[in-house]
């Protein structure tokens, strides 16, 4: 939908146009891919691998050994480290500390750290993510909520990239159909599986900077001269607390981020399908490993000897007594054991080469431990992940989330103005610093390294402090040195005073 200025959600024709475009194959495919990607990441991998085997090996799939090693989860969890530690947040022009204290309370009430960690995970899985910054009037607190790609659609200004409208909608059976299994598609009162929802699919919540509406779509089949035709209509669901259906804060209360710079949704991540393919290859390998010890015993004999064979066991060896026919024209009785003897080393190497290529494509390089001599797939992959460096990927995410947190702060300021809280000012800006991971060495080793460098004149005291705590800025390190110097002066003065009193 080509929109460059405003979206009026009180105009039913615009609402219908948005819903029509959500039903188009492009958006349904996006949401279906997002749903399937999350299922594979979060633990429902087995069903997808089995379905793939049924399609490719319809006559033999039941005999396969099915692995459930999620390459998707390994890669996403390795990269999603921005919020492993809480970042440092500071508001400009906050001499009293009142603004910082208020922001800290808001983040704590909203369980922000957990939601932002999830925001990071979803972004690395789908390459985009959406966070809802909401005020719960009944509970009198903020709520942060990260939404999955299959739970929303967005209208973005094609010229400026501004988020103009967000539409929330639970996925229906057309989105969850790939792994529905025995689900009934009925919306139950009790909590249910994500794949088993459909009844709420015709209700949509929609936001722009001016309006907030909830609509229900009705479909009716009517007879026309051309045949049966489906007519659609929408009804606004009234909200007594907001009868005029306005957005009281004047901004869209959502933050959308994308790993790509294009205005539209980013290109779908291939990680979902790559994870299934990797498990298909592993299924071939594991099945081959199983059947190499299960050979076939083939006995050829004349029909008249049916049931006359005797099996004899001697320790671990088994022998079969085979009667031979002396009649002319009878085939000799023969037994043959066939061992499949698959090339397991070659298969393992092919599997691991594919997985290494997937890791490399997603920016995880330099990992070791995935060679053909690895003890098992899972331990080898874990070693490769542990040995890989993803600092560049995490740094890219930190830059993206710095921008996102500034947008979160702008939404909070809008809510605070609406609520009548005057702690924040319009021109207040949020400064955020993501904490750098500390190198895992002992304190004794760290102190010894610093002492040696100080003795050699390679670093000064300020740099020594920053080595002890990588999260200190230069200004903070200088302030700390001043405090240490003052403390030393006071200690010396106290020592002199004690000496004078003793004398």
């Amino acid at each position: 939908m080509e929109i460059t200025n405003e979206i009026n959600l009180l105009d039913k024709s615009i609402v219908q146009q948005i819903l029509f475009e959500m039903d188009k194959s492009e958006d349904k495919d996006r949401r279906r891919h997002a749903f399937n990607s999350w299922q594979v990441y979060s633990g429902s991998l087995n069903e997808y691998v089995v379905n793939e085997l049924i399609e490719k090996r319809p006559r033999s799939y039941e005999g396969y050994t099915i692995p459930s090693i999620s390459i998707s989860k390994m890669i996403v969890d390795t990269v999603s480290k921005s919020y492993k530690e809480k970042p440092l947040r500071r508001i400009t022009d906050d001499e009293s500390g009142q603004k910082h204290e208020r922001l800290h309370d808001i983040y704590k009430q909203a369980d922000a750290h957990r939601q932002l960690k999830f925001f990071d995970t979803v972004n690395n899985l789908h390459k985009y993510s959406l966070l809802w910054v909401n005020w719960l009037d009944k509970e009198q607190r903020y709520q942060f909520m990260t939404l999955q790609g299959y739970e929303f659609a967005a209208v973005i200004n094609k010229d400026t990239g501004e988020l103009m409208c967000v539409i929330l909608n639970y996925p229906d059976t057309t989105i969850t159909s790939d792994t529905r299994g025995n689900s009934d598609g009925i919306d139950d009162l009790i909590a249910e599986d994500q794949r088993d929802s459909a009844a709420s699919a015709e209700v949509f919540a929609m936001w722009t900077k001016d309006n907030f509406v909830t609509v229900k779509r009705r479909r009716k089949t009517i007879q026309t001269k051309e045949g049966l035709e489906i007519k659609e209509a929408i009804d606004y669901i009234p909200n007594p607390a907001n009868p005029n259906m306005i957005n009281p804060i004047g901004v869209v209360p959502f933050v959308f981020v994308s790993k790509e710079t294009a205005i539209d949704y980013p290109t779908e991540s291939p990680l979902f399908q790559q994870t299934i393919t990797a498990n298909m290859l592993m299924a071939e390998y594991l099945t081959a490993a199983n059947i190499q010890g299960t050979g076939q015993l083939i006995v050829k004999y004349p029909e008249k000897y049916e049931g006359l064979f005797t099996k004899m066991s001697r320790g671990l060896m088994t022998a079969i007594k085979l009667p031979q026919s002396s009649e002319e024209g009878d085939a000799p009785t023969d037994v043959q054991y066939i061992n499949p003897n698959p090339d397991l080393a070659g298969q393992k190497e092919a599997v691991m080469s594919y997985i290494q290529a997937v890791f490399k494509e997603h920016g995880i390089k330099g990992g070791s431990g995935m060679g053909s001599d690895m003890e098992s797939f899972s331990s080898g992959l874990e070693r490769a992940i542990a040995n890989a460096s993803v600092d560049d990927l995490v740094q890219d995410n930190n830059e993206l989330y710095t921008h996102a947190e500034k947008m979160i702060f702008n939404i909070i300021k809008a809510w605070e103005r609406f609520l009548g809280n005057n702690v924040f000012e319009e021109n207040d800006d949020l400064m955020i610093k993501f904490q750098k991971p500390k190198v895992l060495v002992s304190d004794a080793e760290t102190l010894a390294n610093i002492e040696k460098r100080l003795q050699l004149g390679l670093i000064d005291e300020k740099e020594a402090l920053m080595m002890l705590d990588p999260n200190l800025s230069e200004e903070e390190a200088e302030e700390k040195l001043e405090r240490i110097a003052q403390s030393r002066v006071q200690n010396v003065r106290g020592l002199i005073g004690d000496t004078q009193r003793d004398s």
Side-chain angles (χ1 to χ4, degrees):
M1 180 165 52
E2 292 296 332
I3 294 178
T4 57
N5 295 315
E6 302 294 336
I7 297 177
N8 181 11
L9 294 180
L10 302 184
D11 184 339
K12 286 189 175 183
S13 65
I14 291 181
V15 173
Q16 286 179 310
Q17 175 69 9
I18 291 173
L19 299 187
F20 170 76
E21 295 197 5
M22 286 183 66
D23 278 343
K24 287 167 63 176
S25 61
E26 303 97 287
D27 198 64
K28 276 194 176 292
D29 288 346
R30 175 192 65 82
R31 286 187 283 154
R32 187 181 296 110
H33 182 272
F35 181 84
N36 291 335
S37 295
W38 176 251
Q39 292 298 307
V40 164
Y41 168 84
S42 59
S44 296
L45 171 61
N46 187 269
E47 300 167 63
Y48 290 87
V49 179
V50 170
N51 288 342
E52 191 90 352
L53 274 172
I54 291 173
E55 182 180 338
K56 290 184 167 56
R57 308 281 191 273
R59 296 183 180 180
S60 60
Y61 73 91
E62 291 179 328
Y64 276 78
T65 301
I66 311 297
S68 293
I69 299 176
S70 181
I71 308 301
S72 170
K73 184 169 179 60
M74 288 182 178
I75 290 176
V76 170
D77 287 355
T78 299
V79 179
S80 304
K81 292 182 176 179
S82 292
Y83 288 97
K84 189 173 182 180
E85 300 289 338
K86 291 183 180 180
L88 305 174
R89 300 180 180 92
R90 182 171 62 86
I91 299 174
T92 55
D93 299 326
D94 184 28
E95 295 180 2
S96 66
Q98 184 182 8
K99 297 175 183 178
H100 173 79
E101 186 177 347
R102 175 58 182 159
L103 187 67
H104 177 269
D105 289 343
I106 289 172
Y107 270 67
K108 184 177 180 181
Q109 293 168 9
D111 194 17
H113 187 61
R114 186 167 71 95
Q115 286 295 329
L116 287 167
K117 286 176 70 175
F118 187 41
F119 184 72
D120 187 17
T121 297
V122 171
N123 182 48
N124 287 307
L125 178 64
H126 303 310
K127 299 201 292 188
Y128 64 92
S129 192
L130 185 80
L131 181 76
W132 184 9
V133 181
N134 191 28
W135 168 258
L136 302 176
D137 193 57
K138 184 178 180 180
E139 291 85 355
Q140 290 291 292
R141 68 173 180 84
Y142 282 88
Q143 177 193 48
F144 286 12
M145 183 181 295
T146 296
L147 296 162
Q148 291 281 6
Y150 55 84
E151 295 177 319
F152 74 90
V155 179
I156 298 175
N157 188 301
K158 301 293 183 182
D159 297 327
T160 65
E162 176 191 359
L163 184 64
M164 299 187 67
C165 181
V166 171
I167 307 98
L168 302 190
N169 173 240
Y170 289 106
D172 60 17
T173 54
T174 63
I175 305 299
T176 64
S177 58
D178 285 359
T179 57
R180 288 187 60 75
N182 296 320
S183 55
D184 56 21
I186 299 173
D187 196 14
D188 299 324
L189 290 175
I190 60 173
E192 55 186 343
D193 193 293
Q194 292 178 10
R195 297 166 293 179
D196 192 20
S197 59
S200 300
E202 294 302 299
V203 176
F204 302 81
M206 311 174 77
W207 283 262
T208 64
K209 68 180 182 64
D210 297 317
N211 301 113
F212 163 53
V213 303
T214 306
V215 300
K216 185 172 184 177
R217 179 169 56 187
R218 292 182 288 109
R219 286 191 172 103
K220 184 168 65 172
T221 304
I222 61 174
Q223 183 69 47
T224 66
K225 292 180 181 180
E226 289 76 21
L228 292 177
E229 197 174 297
I230 297 177
K231 292 288 186 180
E232 292 188 357
I234 64 165
D235 296 318
Y236 291 103
I237 299 176
N239 180 359
N242 186 16
N244 296 322
M245 296 182 286
I246 63 170
N247 178 358
I249 64 173
V251 298
V252 180
F254 295 86
V255 173
F256 177 80
V257 298
S258 170
K259 282 181 173 286
E260 295 182 4
T261 57
I263 297 300
D264 294 317
Y265 291 113
T267 306
E268 289 179 348
S269 171
L271 191 52
F272 155 65
Q273 190 58 51
Q274 287 169 337
T275 300
I276 296 173
T277 301
N279 278 269
M280 282 282 292
L281 293 172
M282 284 188 269
E284 296 274 3
Y285 167 77
L286 293 174
T287 304
N290 285 339
I291 66 171
Q292 75 166 347
T294 310
Q296 288 182 305
L297 182 68
I298 300 174
V299 181
K300 301 176 182 178
Y301 55 90
E303 186 178 357
K304 61 185 177 183
Y305 290 134
E306 180 73 35
L308 297 181
F309 300 108
T310 302
K311 177 180 175 183
M312 299 175 292
S313 296
R314 295 288 185 273
L316 296 176
M317 304 298 294
T318 298
I320 299 176
K321 185 177 180 180
L322 298 175
Q324 297 290 325
S325 174
S326 58
E327 297 182 14
E328 187 177 351
D330 280 354
T333 305
D334 184 27
V335 65
Q336 185 179 19
Y337 182 80
I338 299 177
N339 187 345
N341 194 26
D343 180 14
L344 294 180
Q347 283 186 271
K348 182 187 289 185
E349 186 176 352
V351 174
M352 300 316 297
S353 294
Y354 176 79
I355 294 175
Q356 282 179 318
V358 173
F359 277 31
K360 186 175 181 180
E361 180 182 338
H362 292 276
I364 299 178
K365 305 173 185 177
S368 59
M370 289 175 63
S372 59
D373 61 340
M374 56 181 261
E375 297 170 5
S376 67
F377 284 113
S378 58
S379 63
L381 293 174
E382 287 168 2
R383 287 198 300 274
I385 287 285
N387 294 332
S389 173
V390 293
D391 290 347
D392 290 345
L393 298 176
V394 175
Q395 182 58 38
D396 289 343
N397 284 339
N398 290 350
E399 293 174 4
L400 187 62
Y401 302 149
T402 297
H403 178 62
E405 292 236 13
K406 288 178 179 291
M407 291 191 289
I408 291 172
F409 184 52
N410 287 335
I411 296 172
I412 289 173
K413 288 192 293 184
W415 273 116
E416 291 288 279
R417 285 194 300 271
F418 167 71
L419 296 170
N421 299 330
N422 300 317
V423 175
F424 303 122
E425 299 175 22
E426 182 64 31
N427 59 349
D428 281 343
D429 191 20
L430 178 68
M431 308 299 290
I432 181 167
K433 181 180 180 182
F434 287 90
Q435 303 202 46
K436 299 176 183 177
K438 294 181 180 180
V439 180
L440 295 179
V441 296
S442 68
D443 290 342
E445 289 176 308
T446 301
L447 291 171
N449 289 335
I450 292 173
E451 184 178 7
K452 190 70 174 176
R453 294 187 184 191
L454 283 169
Q455 290 174 353
L456 295 173
L458 299 176
I459 59 173
D460 58 24
E461 290 185 340
K462 181 178 70 175
E463 291 171 317
L465 282 178
M466 294 175 70
M467 287 179 64
L468 281 171
D469 185 355
N471 297 303
L472 281 178
S473 65
E474 289 191 14
E475 293 79 8
E476 290 168 335
E478 288 174 355
E479 291 174 2
K480 190 167 186 177
L481 281 175
E482 291 178 5
R483 292 197 300 271
I484 292 172
Q486 291 174 1
S487 177
R488 285 173 179 168
V489 170
Q490 291 174 356
N491 289 338
V492 170
R493 287 174 177 170
L495 181 62
I496 294 173
D498 292 339
T499 304
Q500 290 175 342
R501 283 192 294 272
D502 292 340
S503 60

